[in-house]
Amino acid sequence: MKVRVNAKINLTLDVVGSFGEGYHKLDMIMASVGIFDFVEVNPADKITVFMDMRESDENNIAYKVAKICNEKYGVPPLRIDIIKGIPFCGGLGGSSADASAVLYCVQKMFGLADDIVKDIAAKVGSDVNFILQGGLCRACGKGDNLEKLPFKEYSLVVVKGKSTASTKEVFDKFDEVGKITDYTKQFLANTANNNELQFIGNGMQMAAQTLCEDMGRVISTLNKYSHYVCMSGSGACVFAVMKNMSDANLLADKLKNNFPFVKACTTLPYGIKEM
């Protein structure tokens, strides 16, 4: 079975507290976007994962999903082939997307129950359940408490510079320099009057900028072309909301030689599509 699995962006992200043990309480608006991986799943003699035709080890999140499904729920070993389109260390949920794709295929192929799929998703990554559901959602807690929102289409340009930082590094830096924000509540309060984009924002952006030396250049460049510019997740991707896809494509063409990753895309009402 082969699927296309979409990345996610955070239109808002607020750190609103802590669970302790390094886990933070979050309040976010997440959207599926047209940046994607292709994932193919086939029964096999042993579990293997190939990413862009190179074999990955057992630390790969897709491998972990296949191992749980095999050892705990009797699913046969799987060969998983992934073609990456979602950039690494981008805050776009690339690893979670691959785990979601494997879970989706396993459920379709072997009839895994919804509650089992959700349980596995929660174990392996905080974005996995969202990507399985897709569309536009408010996500609270560790990111897996989801509230479906009416879908809205936004035209975007997503850009990533050379520098990156791990999610842990950004959260640790947030604990030093970050502040509590309420972008999500403000965004939701202004959707009825179509003024929600005034309140896109990411409470972790300042922390990530101190770690990613060229993120400031990405942000200042996008600010020249859009009033609505924001980091996704824990970085390092930054997106600009444009008036339409024509403007988004023009800007992406203009910037494609300036940064390692530049992509024009729209938000989408689904997370996974069968091929």
Side-chain angles (χ1 to χ4, degrees):
M1 185 173 186
K2 187 174 182 179
V3 297
R4 184 186 115 167
V5 57
N6 295 323
K8 61 88 184 175
I9 61 160
N10 296 87
L11 292 166
T12 67
L13 189 155
D14 301 304
V15 182
V16 295
S18 174
F19 290 106
E21 299 179 354
Y23 288 100
H24 294 72
K25 291 182 180 178
L26 306 176
D27 192 9
M28 309 177 282
I29 305 292
M30 294 202 287
S32 300
V33 294
I35 299 170
F36 46 84
D37 293 351
F38 290 107
V39 179
E40 185 172 348
V41 174
N42 288 289
D45 294 328
K46 64 175 183 175
I47 299 171
T48 52
V49 176
F50 291 87
M51 187 174 291
D52 293 334
M53 295 184 289
R54 294 182 179 181
E55 188 167 2
S56 298
D57 62 22
E58 294 184 11
N59 293 315
N60 184 286
I61 190 171
Y63 189 105
K64 291 177 181 178
V65 169
K67 187 176 181 181
I68 292 170
C69 291
N70 175 243
E71 293 181 350
K72 195 168 180 180
Y73 300 106
V75 172
L78 302 171
R79 174 180 168 134
I80 300 162
D81 290 278
I82 301 167
I83 303 299
K84 292 297 291 181
I86 304 171
F88 294 99
C89 298
L92 302 182
S95 295
S96 292
D98 298 334
S100 303
V102 174
L103 274 171
Y104 179 94
C105 291
V106 167
Q107 184 172 37
K108 291 284 186 178
M109 294 166 72
F110 303 105
L112 226 55
D114 286 345
D115 59 338
I116 292 174
V117 170
K118 288 180 180 178
D119 183 61
I120 297 170
K123 281 186 171 74
V124 296
S126 57
D127 294 330
V128 177
N129 266 317
F130 166 73
I131 292 172
L132 277 166
Q133 179 165 304
L136 189 68
C137 287
R138 183 181 191 174
C140 301
K142 295 177 183 177
D144 53 359
N145 184 3
L146 302 176
E147 175 192 346
K148 191 80 169 175
L149 300 174
F151 175 72
K152 275 197 170 186
E153 184 175 304
Y154 302 105
S155 299
L156 311 168
V157 176
V158 181
V159 178
K160 181 175 176 286
K162 291 181 180 178
S163 57
T164 61
S166 72
T167 299
K168 184 181 185 307
E169 288 173 325
V170 178
F171 273 114
D172 287 347
K173 180 59 71 172
F174 174 87
D175 289 339
E176 294 176 25
V177 303
K179 297 178 181 178
I180 301 297
T181 52
D182 67 346
Y183 297 116
T184 302
K185 289 180 180 177
Q186 295 282 357
F187 184 99
L188 292 171
N190 285 273
T191 52
N193 59 15
N194 293 314
N195 198 35
E196 72 277 2
L197 289 177
Q198 298 285 346
F199 301 96
I200 66 166
N202 188 323
M204 294 174 65
Q205 187 167 303
M206 183 189 301
Q209 274 188 255
T210 65
L211 298 169
C212 300
E213 58 187 27
D214 61 350
M215 186 181 288
R217 185 169 76 90
V218 175
I219 292 169
S220 62
T221 299
L222 291 176
N223 277 331
K224 295 175 185 176
Y225 303 97
S226 172
H227 295 298
Y228 313 118
V229 175
C230 183
M231 182 181 81
S232 182
S234 59
C237 282
V238 179
F239 64 90
V241 184
M242 308 299 290
K243 288 182 179 179
N244 51 55
M245 273 310 293
S246 177
D247 286 356
N249 285 321
L250 286 171
L251 180 56
D253 285 342
K254 186 177 288 189
L255 300 181
K256 65 183 179 182
N257 295 322
N258 296 33
F259 300 101
F261 179 87
V262 180
K263 178 75 173 179
C265 60
T266 63
T267 53
L268 294 168
Y270 60 90
I272 298 174
K273 183 177 183 180
E274 295 180 26
M275 304 305 295

